[in-house]
Amino acid sequence: EVQLLESGGGLVQPGGSLRLSCAASGFPFISYDMNWVRQAPGKGLEWVASITDTGFRTYYADSVKGRFTISRDNSKNTLYLQINSPRAEDTAVYYCARRPAGELLDYWGQGTLVTVSS
Amino acid sequence: QSALTQPRSVSGSPGQSVTISCTGTSSDVGGYHYVSWYQQYPGKAPKLMIYDVSKWPSGVPARFSGSKSGNTASLTISGLQAEDEADYYCCSYAGNYTRVFGTGTKVTVL
């Protein structure tokens, strides 16, 4: 059974930093591109970042470019999102999602809440 | 990377059909055959319902169907059921390995 389990969310001050993790199981993690998608309270979904299966290539939404870093450790079957210099508008539930071949996100984690506030 | 435009809400009675539109531009919806749709219940993770405009993932009922014309994609739910009451989001590939979601539509079963 495919499982994605996010962790690392919590309260962070503006200008601080936080690292989210997504532990994957039930599938060959090294064979899949992975994504982060977020959802602000009461708002819609927003694609944040993606990383290829090898980790060699990464892509970001303009809203987080230069502040967020997506990475992965295939030896640990874990995806990461480093959040630097967060702003209030980064407050959201952050989901990790698997991307098989093609343009779709077929499995999602349950999400982890990040709250940016002083 | 502006969000795709969806109606805020649609509603229908059980057994009826409802259609949700998703309007973008030639740089996203109109430029690629890569539109997907996601269903989300409150407090839950999204679930893939349609991909590549009109394909079904395993386990999704055929009463969910997708289409596209120009810069607008659509999701139609036929034979509406109570469990279809949820939020629905479209998503399109937007070039340069990026993707953009729609604003979301709340489906209400009357």
Side-chain angles (χ1 to χ4, degrees):
Chain A
E1 179 191 6
V2 172
Q3 289 195 335
L4 298 169
L5 185 60
E6 300 93 338
S7 61
L11 178 64
V12 59
Q13 292 188 339
S17 65
L18 195 67
R19 189 176 79 161
L20 307 183
S21 299
C22 170
S25 61
F27 67 99
F29 183 68
I30 197 171
S31 297
Y32 289 83
D33 294 358
M34 297 295 293
N35 286 251
W36 287 99
V37 177
R38 69 183 180 183
Q39 185 170 36
K43 302 297 184 181
L45 300 172
E46 180 187 15
W47 174 77
V48 173
S50 65
I51 187 168
T52 55
D53 50 4
T54 59
F56 289 163
R57 289 178 292 170
T58 58
Y59 307 95
Y60 299 92
D62 289 344
S63 58
V64 306
K65 200 173 294 183
R67 300 186 300 119
F68 290 16
T69 301
I70 187 172
S71 62
R72 64 193 295 163
D73 186 336
N74 287 342
S75 69
K76 296 182 178 179
N77 289 347
T78 302
L79 174 72
Y80 302 101
L81 185 69
Q82 178 71 37
I83 300 175
N84 293 331
S85 302
R87 307 164 180 165
E89 55 264 36
D90 295 322
T91 293
V93 173
Y94 284 75
Y95 296 100
C96 64
R98 186 182 85 165
R99 188 182 81 83
E103 268 302 314
L104 65 157
L105 301 174
D106 64 348
Y107 283 93
W108 298 59
Q110 88 293 342
T112 187
L113 176 62
V114 173
T115 302
V116 183
S117 175
S118 56
Chain B
Q1 293 179 344
S2 298
L4 308 175
T5 301
Q6 297 181 231
R8 184 175 293 270
S9 64
V10 299
S11 62
S13 299
Q16 288 186 330
S17 294
V18 295
T19 296
I20 303 168
S21 61
C22 169
T23 301
T25 69
S26 58
S27 296
D28 38 63
V29 175
Y32 308 93
H33 207 68
Y34 294 135
V35 176
S36 51
W37 290 89
Y38 300 86
Q39 176 191 65
Q40 187 182 35
Y41 294 113
K44 300 297 186 181
K47 174 187 175 183
L48 177 67
M49 303 301 285
I50 293 286
Y51 69 99
D52 290 355
V53 174
S54 59
K55 296 180 181 178
W56 291 278
S58 173
V60 171
R63 55 198 184 78
F64 289 87
S65 61
S67 63
K68 191 187 84 161
S69 177
N71 296 337
T72 298
S74 299
L75 174 72
T76 297
I77 310 174
S78 305
L80 198 62
Q81 298 183 7
E83 62 260 35
D84 299 334
E85 185 162 296
D87 294 325
Y88 292 82
Y89 294 89
C90 60
C91 181
S92 174
Y93 181 69
N96 296 319
Y97 303 96
T98 66
R99 44 202 59 86
V100 59
F101 281 92
T103 51
T105 298
K106 180 177 179 56
V107 171
T108 301
V109 181
L110 301 172

